[in-house]
Amino acid sequence: MILVTGGAGYIGSHACLELLLAGHEVLVLDNLCNSSRRALERVEQLAGRTLQFVKGDVRNRSLLTALFAAYPVSAVMHFAGLKAVGESVREPLRYYETNVSGSIALCQAMAEAGIFKLVFSSSATVYGESAMMPITEHCPTGVPTNPYGQSKLMAESVLRGLANSDPRWSIGLLRYFNPIGAHESGLIGEDPNGTPNNLLPYMLQVAVGRRRELSVYGDDYPTPDGTGVRDYIHVVDLVQGHLKALERLEQVNGVSVWNLGTGKGYSVKEMIGAFEAVIGRPLPHVIQPRRAGDIAQCWSDPTKAAIELGWRAERDLSTMLADAWRWQSRNPQGYAETQPARQGATAQTALAS
Ligand code: NAD
Ligand code: UDP
């Protein structure tokens, strides 16, 4: 059985689905601070199988101990965390506590229970403003400019120290580039709270009429068309990389770092053009000044994951955008509305606190 912390969230819910489809038993721990139970009900609907759900906090050591005593967990995918850059500047301690202390509490409980396989959600943000492009895993980590990025780098350091101290650990640090898209069914997808920080969720909300226009943050970057360039990766490709990493951790000990990206960068203007082609109409947008803390460009060299995991992102940009649009247009208010939630297939255990 795989414990998926943060399994009700955007990436975690897609991971739960792929794990179920691959035949794994799945236990989700999530406090639902940024997600909905409905996501898990839809995962079960798509998989045709149930999972176990415990509502609780990853910082709660005694809950973790009780979970590991009650379920035959063999490995953990650790998605639970906070991810809003701006919020992390306003509330740094909450970010360090959740993203760093939460990871420490999880590892302590895992070690106590004799579980030593961990797949960790890291981010390309740990590279900072890389002088080298594309970014390989050998590029030095940078100095993240906000507590969110710092918390990911700190958590990576904690996990490295842990693996150095005890050879039983097998830890995969997965550095995500820019996950977008949704499951092709349109039943699960990204449902951010409040105003979206990220480009695609904002574009989607403009397209369904929840926001007036997209702000393009800067058209004076040293990039081909002046707008920021990123490596967007389909969330289903991303989580398939997690399953490959999990397999690989059966064979290697210590810490392994893998970039999960496509190796190709697209500018904001290219994203708008490709999205307009999907929705068949113009997307209202306006050029604004640069956003503080943004870098000009960032894309991966995903060769290491290809060689060591036998994994490669397969879905192209138009598929990412079409899948994201299917999700958003069928669920304009995310999980908050529309299709009635299926009643109670998800088992919730008495351990929930
Ligand atoms: P998300 O917010 O949709 O999912 C995170 C989940 O963790 C949510 O369901 C939330 O309720 C849960 N959670 C938060 N704090 C918790 C706590 N203390 N205890 C238990 N559950 C808790 O975010 P996501 O986009 O799915 O991201 C998943 C992970 O990937 C995060 O660690 C994030 O930092 C990392 N990541 C995301 C991106 C991205 O662009 N989405 C990029 C790089 C890394
Ligand atoms: N961006 C934008 N308008 C928005 C959100 C993002 O122009 O409303 C730009 C941003 O400046 C960057 C790219 O889109 O060049 C991706 O931003 P996102 O926040 O999605 O990812 P990150 O910057 O964290 O890689």
Side-chain angles (χ1 to χ4, degrees):
M1 174 176 260
I2 311 298
L3 170 64
V4 183
T5 74
Y10 170 45
I11 302 169
S13 57
H14 288 81
C16 289
L17 176 57
E18 292 303 313
L19 284 166
L20 289 172
L21 292 174
H24 293 278
E25 300 298 320
V26 173
L27 167 64
V28 170
L29 173 67
D30 198 303
N31 66 4
L32 302 182
C33 70
N34 195 36
S35 53
S36 164
R37 268 292 286 279
R38 221 166 258 188
L40 294 176
E41 290 162 3
R42 293 192 183 173
V43 164
E44 290 182 321
Q45 186 183 333
L46 287 166
R49 293 181 55 205
T50 57
L51 50 74
Q52 299 293 320
F53 171 63
V54 172
K55 183 175 178 202
D57 201 296
V58 74
R59 293 165 296 177
N60 183 341
R61 267 293 303 279
S62 53
L63 173 61
L64 290 167
T65 301
L67 277 187
F68 291 134
Y71 293 96
V73 173
S74 58
V76 179
M77 285 190 187
H78 180 34
F79 296 99
L82 302 175
K83 62 167 185 177
V85 171
E87 187 182 64
S88 80
V89 175
R90 293 190 298 277
E91 300 178 65
L93 294 184
R94 197 156 76 87
Y95 272 69
Y96 296 126
E97 205 203 5
T98 304
N99 295 355
V100 185
S101 306
S103 301
I104 293 173
L106 175 66
C107 290
Q108 286 170 330
M110 286 175 68
E112 204 176 80
I115 302 161
F116 295 100
K117 273 186 211 27
L118 176 68
V119 176
F120 177 68
S121 299
S122 189
S123 167
T125 191
V126 301
Y127 292 113
E129 182 137 39
S130 177
M132 284 172 274
M133 214 52 72
I135 299 175
T136 72
E137 293 81 352
H138 294 298
C139 290
T141 53
V143 185
T145 52
N146 56 74
Y148 167 71
Q150 287 156 7
S151 73
K152 286 289 169 191
L153 197 51
M154 286 162 79
E156 281 201 2
S157 302
V158 166
L159 297 175
R160 279 178 197 283
L162 184 60
N164 288 340
S165 76
D166 184 338
R168 288 175 297 177
W169 282 95
S170 301
I171 300 177
L173 304 178
L174 303 190
R175 293 180 177 161
Y176 308 165
F177 282 70
N178 289 61
I180 62 169
H183 187 260
E184 62 181 3
S185 63
L187 279 178
I188 56 173
E190 186 168 14
D191 182 20
N193 268 338
T195 309
N197 298 300
N198 296 115
L199 178 65
L200 192 67
Y202 207 105
M203 286 173 32
L204 292 166
Q205 292 195 8
V206 172
V208 290
R210 284 170 67 179
R211 317 248 162 220
R212 198 162 47 89
E213 63 190 8
L214 172 76
S215 295
V216 175
Y217 294 136
D219 67 350
D220 56 352
Y221 282 106
T223 58
D225 65 19
T227 62
V229 170
R230 297 290 185 276
D231 181 346
Y232 297 93
I233 174 170
H234 196 295
V235 64
V236 175
D237 281 329
L238 184 85
V239 301
Q240 284 172 348
H242 288 62
L243 270 72
K244 292 286 191 182
L246 198 60
E247 281 172 28
R248 179 75 184 155
L249 295 183
E250 299 285 346
Q251 292 141 26
V252 293
N253 283 10
V255 163
S256 308
V257 180
W258 291 294
N259 283 343
L260 295 184
T262 65
K264 190 162 171 34
Y266 289 98
S267 73
V268 176
K269 282 187 179 164
E270 286 174 318
M271 291 294 285
I272 294 171
F275 187 59
E276 288 177 338
V278 166
I279 62 175
R281 57 191 152 92
L283 187 82
H285 60 275
V286 58
I287 307 293
Q288 296 283 1
R290 294 181 182 189
R291 183 171 67 175
D294 269 2
I295 57 176
Q297 53 183 10
C298 173
W299 71 90
S300 68
D301 179 340
T303 307
K304 185 168 184 277
I307 293 170
E308 295 181 2
L309 304 180
W311 169 89
R312 201 179 280 287
E314 283 165 5
R315 292 160 180 82
D316 64 10
L317 185 64
S318 60
T319 306
M320 298 182 213
L321 295 172
D323 287 346
W325 179 234
R326 190 174 305 109
W327 152 252
Q328 190 74 72
S329 54
R330 291 187 185 175
N331 304 269
Q333 304 296 330
Y335 291 109
E337 59 147 29
T338 60
Q339 307 168 25
R342 227 166 37 104
Q343 287 304 307
T346 312
Q348 182 163 351
T349 150
L351 285 168
S353 57

PDB file of all heavy atoms in Angstrom, residues 104-128:
ATOM      1  N   ILE A 104       9.707  16.430   8.112  1.00  0.00           N
ATOM      2  CA  ILE A 104      10.490  15.818   9.201  1.00  0.00           C
ATOM      3  C   ILE A 104       9.598  14.865  10.007  1.00  0.00           C
ATOM      4  O   ILE A 104       9.983  13.719  10.276  1.00  0.00           O
ATOM      5  CB  ILE A 104      11.109  16.910  10.109  1.00  0.00           C
ATOM      6  CG1 ILE A 104      12.162  17.699   9.324  1.00  0.00           C
ATOM      7  CG2 ILE A 104      11.720  16.289  11.370  1.00  0.00           C
ATOM      8  CD1 ILE A 104      12.720  18.916  10.051  1.00  0.00           C
ATOM      9  N   ALA A 105       8.399  15.330  10.352  1.00  0.00           N
ATOM     10  CA  ALA A 105       7.485  14.476  11.136  1.00  0.00           C
ATOM     11  C   ALA A 105       7.181  13.188  10.367  1.00  0.00           C
ATOM     12  O   ALA A 105       7.183  12.089  10.931  1.00  0.00           O
ATOM     13  CB  ALA A 105       6.191  15.232  11.429  1.00  0.00           C
ATOM     14  N   LEU A 106       6.967  13.333   9.059  1.00  0.00           N
ATOM     15  CA  LEU A 106       6.660  12.167   8.228  1.00  0.00           C
ATOM     16  C   LEU A 106       7.823  11.176   8.247  1.00  0.00           C
ATOM     17  O   LEU A 106       7.633   9.971   8.447  1.00  0.00           O
ATOM     18  CB  LEU A 106       6.363  12.628   6.792  1.00  0.00           C
ATOM     19  CG  LEU A 106       6.141  11.531   5.769  1.00  0.00           C
ATOM     20  CD1 LEU A 106       4.862  10.742   6.070  1.00  0.00           C
ATOM     21  CD2 LEU A 106       6.051  12.126   4.349  1.00  0.00           C
ATOM     22  N   CYS A 107       9.047  11.683   8.065  1.00  0.00           N
ATOM     23  CA  CYS A 107      10.215  10.792   8.022  1.00  0.00           C
ATOM     24  C   CYS A 107      10.458  10.139   9.375  1.00  0.00           C
ATOM     25  O   CYS A 107      10.862   8.968   9.443  1.00  0.00           O
ATOM     26  CB  CYS A 107      11.457  11.562   7.571  1.00  0.00           C
ATOM     27  SG  CYS A 107      11.370  12.021   5.840  1.00  0.00           S
ATOM     28  N   GLN A 108      10.229  10.878  10.454  1.00  0.00           N
ATOM     29  CA  GLN A 108      10.400  10.278  11.785  1.00  0.00           C
ATOM     30  C   GLN A 108       9.442   9.103  11.955  1.00  0.00           C
ATOM     31  O   GLN A 108       9.834   8.027  12.399  1.00  0.00           O
ATOM     32  CB  GLN A 108      10.128  11.333  12.875  1.00  0.00           C
ATOM     33  CG  GLN A 108      11.256  12.341  13.009  1.00  0.00           C
ATOM     34  CD  GLN A 108      10.886  13.517  13.912  1.00  0.00           C
ATOM     35  OE1 GLN A 108       9.710  13.897  14.004  1.00  0.00           O
ATOM     36  NE2 GLN A 108      11.885  14.092  14.566  1.00  0.00           N
ATOM     37  N   ALA A 109       8.196   9.312  11.598  1.00  0.00           N
ATOM     38  CA  ALA A 109       7.202   8.242  11.761  1.00  0.00           C
ATOM     39  C   ALA A 109       7.498   7.079  10.816  1.00  0.00           C
ATOM     40  O   ALA A 109       7.328   5.909  11.170  1.00  0.00           O
ATOM     41  CB  ALA A 109       5.807   8.792  11.514  1.00  0.00           C
ATOM     42  N   MET A 110       7.969   7.409   9.591  1.00  0.00           N
ATOM     43  CA  MET A 110       8.314   6.337   8.645  1.00  0.00           C
ATOM     44  C   MET A 110       9.436   5.470   9.218  1.00  0.00           C
ATOM     45  O   MET A 110       9.352   4.234   9.205  1.00  0.00           O
ATOM     46  CB  MET A 110       8.754   6.930   7.293  1.00  0.00           C
ATOM     47  CG  MET A 110       7.618   7.485   6.454  1.00  0.00           C
ATOM     48  SD  MET A 110       8.236   8.308   4.952  1.00  0.00           S
ATOM     49  CE  MET A 110       8.888   6.913   4.018  1.00  0.00           C
ATOM     50  N   ALA A 111      10.501   6.124   9.707  1.00  0.00           N
ATOM     51  CA  ALA A 111      11.652   5.369  10.223  1.00  0.00           C
ATOM     52  C   ALA A 111      11.228   4.484  11.391  1.00  0.00           C
ATOM     53  O   ALA A 111      11.605   3.311  11.477  1.00  0.00           O
ATOM     54  CB  ALA A 111      12.760   6.331  10.639  1.00  0.00           C
ATOM     55  N   GLU A 112      10.407   5.046  12.261  1.00  0.00           N
ATOM     56  CA  GLU A 112       9.910   4.298  13.424  1.00  0.00           C
ATOM     57  C   GLU A 112       9.155   3.052  12.969  1.00  0.00           C
ATOM     58  O   GLU A 112       9.217   2.004  13.593  1.00  0.00           O
ATOM     59  CB  GLU A 112       8.954   5.229  14.158  1.00  0.00           C
ATOM     60  CG  GLU A 112       8.725   4.970  15.614  1.00  0.00           C
ATOM     61  CD  GLU A 112       7.808   6.090  16.132  1.00  0.00           C
ATOM     62  OE1 GLU A 112       6.578   6.016  15.919  1.00  0.00           O
ATOM     63  OE2 GLU A 112       8.342   7.036  16.716  1.00  0.00           O
ATOM     64  N   ALA A 113       8.449   3.180  11.836  1.00  0.00           N
ATOM     65  CA  ALA A 113       7.635   2.064  11.334  1.00  0.00           C
ATOM     66  C   ALA A 113       8.426   1.164  10.377  1.00  0.00           C
ATOM     67  O   ALA A 113       7.876   0.206   9.840  1.00  0.00           O
ATOM     68  CB  ALA A 113       6.407   2.621  10.626  1.00  0.00           C
ATOM     69  N   GLY A 114       9.692   1.515  10.130  1.00  0.00           N
ATOM     70  CA  GLY A 114      10.507   0.686   9.235  1.00  0.00           C
ATOM     71  C   GLY A 114      10.181   0.878   7.764  1.00  0.00           C
ATOM     72  O   GLY A 114      10.352  -0.031   6.953  1.00  0.00           O
ATOM     73  N   ILE A 115       9.714   2.082   7.400  1.00  0.00           N
ATOM     74  CA  ILE A 115       9.394   2.381   5.986  1.00  0.00           C
ATOM     75  C   ILE A 115      10.436   3.390   5.507  1.00  0.00           C
ATOM     76  O   ILE A 115      10.597   4.460   6.103  1.00  0.00           O
ATOM     77  CB  ILE A 115       7.977   2.992   5.861  1.00  0.00           C
ATOM     78  CG1 ILE A 115       6.944   2.033   6.455  1.00  0.00           C
ATOM     79  CG2 ILE A 115       7.635   3.320   4.406  1.00  0.00           C
ATOM     80  CD1 ILE A 115       5.627   2.706   6.802  1.00  0.00           C
ATOM     81  N   PHE A 116      11.120   3.070   4.413  1.00  0.00           N
ATOM     82  CA  PHE A 116      12.264   3.894   4.021  1.00  0.00           C
ATOM     83  C   PHE A 116      12.232   4.342   2.561  1.00  0.00           C
ATOM     84  O   PHE A 116      13.246   4.766   2.036  1.00  0.00           O
ATOM     85  CB  PHE A 116      13.575   3.132   4.311  1.00  0.00           C
ATOM     86  CG  PHE A 116      13.787   2.899   5.789  1.00  0.00           C
ATOM     87  CD1 PHE A 116      13.475   1.663   6.359  1.00  0.00           C
ATOM     88  CD2 PHE A 116      14.273   3.906   6.599  1.00  0.00           C
ATOM     89  CE1 PHE A 116      13.650   1.455   7.721  1.00  0.00           C
ATOM     90  CE2 PHE A 116      14.453   3.707   7.964  1.00  0.00           C
ATOM     91  CZ  PHE A 116      14.139   2.480   8.522  1.00  0.00           C
ATOM     92  N   LYS A 117      11.070   4.200   1.926  1.00  0.00           N
ATOM     93  CA  LYS A 117      10.968   4.629   0.520  1.00  0.00           C
ATOM     94  C   LYS A 117      10.084   5.863   0.426  1.00  0.00           C
ATOM     95  O   LYS A 117       8.915   5.820   0.817  1.00  0.00           O
ATOM     96  CB  LYS A 117      10.347   3.524  -0.333  1.00  0.00           C
ATOM     97  CG  LYS A 117      11.348   2.555  -0.855  1.00  0.00           C
ATOM     98  CD  LYS A 117      10.674   1.596  -1.790  1.00  0.00           C
ATOM     99  CE  LYS A 117      11.308   0.244  -1.779  1.00  0.00           C
ATOM    100  NZ  LYS A 117      11.983  -0.188  -0.609  1.00  0.00           N
ATOM    101  N   LEU A 118      10.655   6.926  -0.144  1.00  0.00           N
ATOM    102  CA  LEU A 118       9.930   8.196  -0.171  1.00  0.00           C
ATOM    103  C   LEU A 118      10.128   8.897  -1.505  1.00  0.00           C
ATOM    104  O   LEU A 118      11.261   9.062  -1.976  1.00  0.00           O
ATOM    105  CB  LEU A 118      10.461   9.099   0.950  1.00  0.00           C
ATOM    106  CG  LEU A 118       9.882  10.513   1.028  1.00  0.00           C
ATOM    107  CD1 LEU A 118       8.409  10.491   1.422  1.00  0.00           C
ATOM    108  CD2 LEU A 118      10.674  11.358   2.030  1.00  0.00           C
ATOM    109  N   VAL A 119       9.014   9.313  -2.102  1.00  0.00           N
ATOM    110  CA  VAL A 119       9.069  10.152  -3.309  1.00  0.00           C
ATOM    111  C   VAL A 119       8.615  11.547  -2.881  1.00  0.00           C
ATOM    112  O   VAL A 119       7.504  11.708  -2.365  1.00  0.00           O
ATOM    113  CB  VAL A 119       8.140   9.603  -4.409  1.00  0.00           C
ATOM    114  CG1 VAL A 119       8.141  10.531  -5.619  1.00  0.00           C
ATOM    115  CG2 VAL A 119       8.573   8.197  -4.820  1.00  0.00           C
ATOM    116  N   PHE A 120       9.484  12.529  -3.088  1.00  0.00           N
ATOM    117  CA  PHE A 120       9.214  13.877  -2.579  1.00  0.00           C
ATOM    118  C   PHE A 120       8.967  14.859  -3.718  1.00  0.00           C
ATOM    119  O   PHE A 120       9.714  14.906  -4.698  1.00  0.00           O
ATOM    120  CB  PHE A 120      10.406  14.362  -1.737  1.00  0.00           C
ATOM    121  CG  PHE A 120      10.233  15.769  -1.228  1.00  0.00           C
ATOM    122  CD1 PHE A 120       9.264  16.063  -0.275  1.00  0.00           C
ATOM    123  CD2 PHE A 120      11.016  16.801  -1.717  1.00  0.00           C
ATOM    124  CE1 PHE A 120       9.081  17.359   0.184  1.00  0.00           C
ATOM    125  CE2 PHE A 120      10.840  18.114  -1.258  1.00  0.00           C
ATOM    126  CZ  PHE A 120       9.864  18.381  -0.306  1.00  0.00           C
ATOM    127  N   SER A 121       7.917  15.701  -3.552  1.00  0.00           N
ATOM    128  CA  SER A 121       7.579  16.741  -4.531  1.00  0.00           C
ATOM    129  C   SER A 121       8.482  17.937  -4.334  1.00  0.00           C
ATOM    130  O   SER A 121       8.228  18.772  -3.465  1.00  0.00           O
ATOM    131  CB  SER A 121       6.158  17.255  -4.291  1.00  0.00           C
ATOM    132  OG  SER A 121       5.209  16.256  -4.424  1.00  0.00           O
ATOM    133  N   SER A 122       9.516  18.033  -5.157  1.00  0.00           N
ATOM    134  CA  SER A 122      10.323  19.249  -5.110  1.00  0.00           C
ATOM    135  C   SER A 122       9.974  20.087  -6.340  1.00  0.00           C
ATOM    136  O   SER A 122       8.971  19.825  -7.014  1.00  0.00           O
ATOM    137  CB  SER A 122      11.810  18.905  -5.052  1.00  0.00           C
ATOM    138  OG  SER A 122      12.544  20.089  -4.805  1.00  0.00           O
ATOM    139  N   SER A 123      10.785  21.082  -6.595  1.00  0.00           N
ATOM    140  CA  SER A 123      10.401  22.044  -7.630  1.00  0.00           C
ATOM    141  C   SER A 123      11.631  22.594  -8.330  1.00  0.00           C
ATOM    142  O   SER A 123      12.698  22.732  -7.712  1.00  0.00           O
ATOM    143  CB  SER A 123       9.646  23.189  -6.955  1.00  0.00           C
ATOM    144  OG  SER A 123       9.512  24.266  -7.839  1.00  0.00           O
ATOM    145  N   ALA A 124      11.461  22.967  -9.589  1.00  0.00           N
ATOM    146  CA  ALA A 124      12.552  23.617 -10.322  1.00  0.00           C
ATOM    147  C   ALA A 124      12.927  24.947  -9.683  1.00  0.00           C
ATOM    148  O   ALA A 124      13.994  25.489  -9.975  1.00  0.00           O
ATOM    149  CB  ALA A 124      12.127  23.846 -11.776  1.00  0.00           C
ATOM    150  N   THR A 125      12.085  25.435  -8.789  1.00  0.00           N
ATOM    151  CA  THR A 125      12.401  26.692  -8.103  1.00  0.00           C
ATOM    152  C   THR A 125      13.710  26.570  -7.313  1.00  0.00           C
ATOM    153  O   THR A 125      14.373  27.572  -7.066  1.00  0.00           O
ATOM    154  CB  THR A 125      11.217  27.133  -7.199  1.00  0.00           C
ATOM    155  OG1 THR A 125      11.441  28.453  -6.751  1.00  0.00           O
ATOM    156  CG2 THR A 125      11.056  26.259  -5.994  1.00  0.00           C
ATOM    157  N   VAL A 126      14.107  25.337  -6.939  1.00  0.00           N
ATOM    158  CA  VAL A 126      15.354  25.190  -6.163  1.00  0.00           C
ATOM    159  C   VAL A 126      16.582  25.574  -6.999  1.00  0.00           C
ATOM    160  O   VAL A 126      17.650  25.830  -6.443  1.00  0.00           O
ATOM    161  CB  VAL A 126      15.547  23.765  -5.578  1.00  0.00           C
ATOM    162  CG1 VAL A 126      14.393  23.383  -4.661  1.00  0.00           C
ATOM    163  CG2 VAL A 126      15.756  22.720  -6.674  1.00  0.00           C
ATOM    164  N   TYR A 127      16.446  25.618  -8.331  1.00  0.00           N
ATOM    165  CA  TYR A 127      17.588  26.013  -9.163  1.00  0.00           C
ATOM    166  C   TYR A 127      17.778  27.530  -9.178  1.00  0.00           C
ATOM    167  O   TYR A 127      18.802  28.014  -9.658  1.00  0.00           O
ATOM    168  CB  TYR A 127      17.400  25.525 -10.604  1.00  0.00           C
ATOM    169  CG  TYR A 127      17.462  24.021 -10.768  1.00  0.00           C
ATOM    170  CD1 TYR A 127      16.330  23.289 -11.137  1.00  0.00           C
ATOM    171  CD2 TYR A 127      18.653  23.328 -10.562  1.00  0.00           C
ATOM    172  CE1 TYR A 127      16.383  21.917 -11.303  1.00  0.00           C
ATOM    173  CE2 TYR A 127      18.705  21.947 -10.717  1.00  0.00           C
ATOM    174  CZ  TYR A 127      17.570  21.250 -11.089  1.00  0.00           C
ATOM    175  OH  TYR A 127      17.635  19.890 -11.247  1.00  0.00           O
ATOM    176  N   GLY A 128      16.772  28.277  -8.687  1.00  0.00           N
ATOM    177  CA  GLY A 128      16.861  29.732  -8.736  1.00  0.00           C
ATOM    178  C   GLY A 128      16.961  30.196 -10.178  1.00  0.00           C
ATOM    179  O   GLY A 128      16.417  29.571 -11.089  1.00  0.00           O
TER     180      GLY A 128
END
